[in-house]
Amino acid sequence: MIIRIDERTYEGSGTEIMEQLRQQTFDPTEYPDVESYIYQLRSNFIRATDLDCPLPDGDTEEQAQAMFAHLAKAGALTIMEE
């Protein structure tokens, strides 16, 4: 998967990209794992857009890809390759 946020490009699996983003947060220890980070992004997305943001019950990879799809629809990032 390749995504672009602003001028920065991220490459890897959905989980790997989420981990990179988690590590870039002000305090990555606030979100101890990728799953908690995804759910924080989801909460922020809903609060900021007032749109529903359902995530699958599957594994972290499925959740990461679904979150990226929601963010792309809202114009927050571009999915360049799935």
Side-chain angles (χ1 to χ4, degrees):
M1 173 171 244
I2 300 173
I3 66 166
R4 176 168 285 202
I5 302 173
D6 296 324
E7 297 300 315
R8 184 146 187 202
T9 301
Y10 298 87
E11 191 170 339
S13 69
T15 303
E16 291 168 340
I17 295 170
M18 280 294 182
E19 177 61 21
Q20 292 173 47
L21 295 173
R22 185 182 77 83
Q23 290 295 323
Q24 291 175 10
T25 61
F26 182 73
D27 182 9
T29 61
E30 186 175 350
Y31 311 107
D33 55 33
V34 172
E35 187 172 14
S36 64
Y37 181 69
I38 291 169
Y39 277 89
Q40 180 59 36
L41 281 177
R42 179 181 180 268
S43 294
N44 290 344
F45 178 88
I46 292 169
R47 190 173 26 259
T49 64
D50 204 28
L51 297 172
D52 193 19
C53 186
L55 295 178
D57 291 330
D59 62 16
T60 305
E61 182 64 24
E62 292 175 64
Q63 293 171 349
Q65 289 182 12
M67 190 71 238
F68 287 135
H70 291 298
L71 290 166
K73 286 180 188 175
L77 60 83
T78 304
I79 297 174
M80 300 175 74
E81 183 178 307
E82 290 191 40

